[in-house]
Amino acid sequence: MEEERIRFFRMLIDTPSPSGFEEQVQQLFLERVKDAVDLTYKDVHGNAFGVINPDCEHKLMLAGHCDEVGLMVSYIDKEGYVYFSTVGGIDPQITQGMPVVIHTATGPVSGVIGKKPIHLLEEKERQKVARIEEQWIDIGAKDGEEARSMVQIGDPITFDIASRCLAGERITGKGIDDKVGVFVVCEVLRELGREKQSLAFGVYGVSTVQEELGLRGAKTSAFGINPKIGIAIDVTFASDCPNIDKKKVGDISLGRGPVLARGPNINSKLWMRIKRVAEENNIPYQVQAEARATGTDANVIQTTRSGVVTALLSIPNRYMHTPSEIVDMQDVENAIRLLVLFIKSLKVEENWIP
């Protein structure tokens, strides 16, 4: 993948966007796509939209959620220690000792999540994981008064870890779930924008908000767009690392291509259509069984209004909801290529009724 694309992807990852506080990353999205699309806008929830051919009767929606899991200030004690709650699903085993940034109205405040030294732990303390409400952030304040002058209740918090390039084309960082989906939406819009006159559909690329809190942004944005076809782009569990049971998750590996979800949340004709485009163009792909409604934006897109023809395209991701997620950019590039070719091949008269 081109170096310029890699730089933009890493910028997305490194830009803080805990659920409900996505403004900075949405600005990056809108700036990235503005020259390729005919229309950009945001809604009252903070969803960001880039639209190609907005006057087309038939609409296709691409959705990647820009929010990441994080923390939030919930209490400041008299000694100046900051207590917090989680925004989205975070494992308390990974938080202790982590550097963090509290995002305040006057700027970022650095801190660390404290931990009693192992030398001082009783045996029973070593055997248990401290609950989130038992953990605290040390911002260096001398007392509660100073701490409260620096941070406020409700300030969002993110892990202070920068993205890094690993071997091959693999990248690690926080918030890859699902800024990789936002990245795919951006790059698909940029490529389609070069030949928008040949498209049969209006294409609505959406960077959705608050997915980690219940798919909230996708629900409202899909209702507003009322698309005929909706495709969610998200991450899925890679099972090519230790202690992941492939009998439960499926055989999903980094570098073997994007993942086509198959199950009741997915329109069967759309699934076959995307699969055929991949095979005709020698694009590698993997298949994952989803026996129930998925925990992705595809879930709510499918049931919007009288129903939407829905698919889910996923990027294999290791160590999900940790500050060190890993994806392979070859999978990302193949996802972009697959979506571009699929959208260019669409015809208005196609019948999607199973």
Side-chain angles (χ1 to χ4, degrees):
M1 184 173 285
E2 298 96 327
E3 186 60 35
E4 185 273 335
R5 275 181 160 179
I6 296 291
R7 283 196 300 271
F8 175 68
F9 178 53
R10 292 184 63 187
M11 190 184 306
L12 282 177
I13 297 170
D14 293 336
T15 300
S17 61
S19 302
F21 300 88
E22 301 97 344
E23 294 89 345
Q24 290 184 62
V25 80
Q26 295 295 52
Q27 192 57 43
L28 291 178
F29 172 84
L30 294 172
E31 185 67 26
R32 182 72 172 176
V33 304
K34 68 177 184 180
D35 293 333
V37 303
D38 300 306
L39 175 67
T40 60
Y41 64 98
K42 289 176 69 178
D43 66 15
V44 294
H45 275 179
N47 295 301
F49 302 77
V51 187
I52 294 173
N53 298 338
D55 296 328
C56 277
E57 176 186 358
H58 299 279
K59 302 173 183 178
L60 179 143
M61 173 180 176
L62 299 174
H65 74 86
C66 70
D67 59 313
E68 61 181 296
V69 296
L71 309 169
M72 179 178 283
V73 175
S74 58
Y75 173 67
I76 303 169
D77 71 13
K78 63 181 181 181
E79 284 80 25
Y81 296 109
V82 178
Y83 290 79
F84 54 90
S85 54
T86 60
V87 178
I90 292 184
D91 185 349
Q93 294 185 87
I94 67 168
T95 53
Q96 294 183 84
M98 293 290 294
V100 296
V101 176
I102 304 174
H103 303 279
T104 78
T106 56
V109 172
S110 296
V112 294
I113 299 179
K115 177 76 169 66
K116 184 191 288 188
I118 190 170
H119 320 66
L120 305 180
L121 291 175
E122 301 290 341
E123 185 60 33
K124 62 181 180 181
E125 292 179 300
R126 298 187 186 195
Q127 304 306 315
K128 72 168 195 138
V129 177
R131 299 191 304 272
I132 287 294
E133 59 268 26
E134 296 174 325
Q135 300 182 33
W136 66 91
I137 296 171
D138 190 337
I139 59 173
K142 66 178 183 292
D143 55 30
E145 182 179 356
E146 183 178 20
R148 281 186 285 274
S149 72
M150 298 169 66
V151 303
Q152 298 181 29
I153 303 300
D155 283 341
I157 306 163
T158 54
F159 296 112
D160 191 10
I161 293 183
S163 62
R164 297 180 301 282
C165 293
L166 303 179
E169 293 193 46
R170 296 178 178 180
I171 289 179
T172 181
K174 66 174 184 62
I176 288 177
D177 175 13
D178 177 38
K179 291 175 189 174
V180 70
V182 175
F183 176 76
V184 169
V185 172
C186 282
E187 301 312 294
V188 170
L189 289 175
R190 281 160 58 86
E191 294 202 15
L192 291 176
R194 301 189 186 106
E195 42 195 317
K196 62 183 74 173
Q197 293 82 6
S198 64
L199 301 178
F201 277 66
V203 180
Y204 289 69
V206 190
S207 178
T208 64
V209 298
Q210 298 188 39
E211 190 268 359
E212 299 292 356
L213 303 183
L215 320 177
R216 294 161 59 84
K219 184 181 298 184
T220 57
S221 57
F223 188 94
I225 295 169
N226 191 19
K228 182 174 185 179
I229 298 172
I231 303 175
I233 302 97
D234 211 317
V235 294
T236 192
F237 303 109
S239 58
D240 60 346
C241 56
N243 303 323
I244 304 295
D245 188 347
K246 293 183 180 181
K247 295 187 292 295
K248 293 181 179 179
V249 175
D251 186 6
I252 305 296
S253 296
L254 268 63
R256 288 205 328 227
V259 179
L260 300 179
R262 189 180 188 190
N265 195 172
I266 310 304
N267 179 278
S268 58
K269 284 193 171 182
L270 181 57
W271 185 83
M272 288 296 297
R273 183 77 160 70
I274 296 174
K275 176 175 176 287
R276 186 166 74 248
V277 171
E279 291 171 348
E280 289 174 348
N281 292 278
N282 298 314
I283 299 173
Y285 68 90
Q286 306 174 73
V287 177
Q288 188 164 43
E290 293 284 2
R292 298 175 177 82
T294 66
T296 72
D297 284 345
N299 187 340
V300 294
I301 292 172
Q302 183 190 38
T303 56
T304 294
R305 295 182 184 252
S306 60
V308 176
V309 179
T310 301
L312 170 61
L313 185 67
S314 302
I315 306 299
N317 182 18
R318 291 181 187 160
Y319 322 127
M320 199 181 299
H321 281 209
T322 76
S324 303
E325 299 177 323
I326 299 177
V327 291
D328 191 312
M329 297 308 289
Q330 289 184 348
D331 296 329
V332 180
E333 193 160 25
N334 280 315
I336 295 166
R337 183 167 169 245
L338 176 54
L339 286 170
V340 168
L341 290 172
F342 166 72
I343 294 169
K344 287 169 62 176
S345 74
L346 278 175
K347 302 292 187 292
V348 169
E349 64 273 9
E350 294 184 70
N351 181 3
W352 301 105
I353 298 175

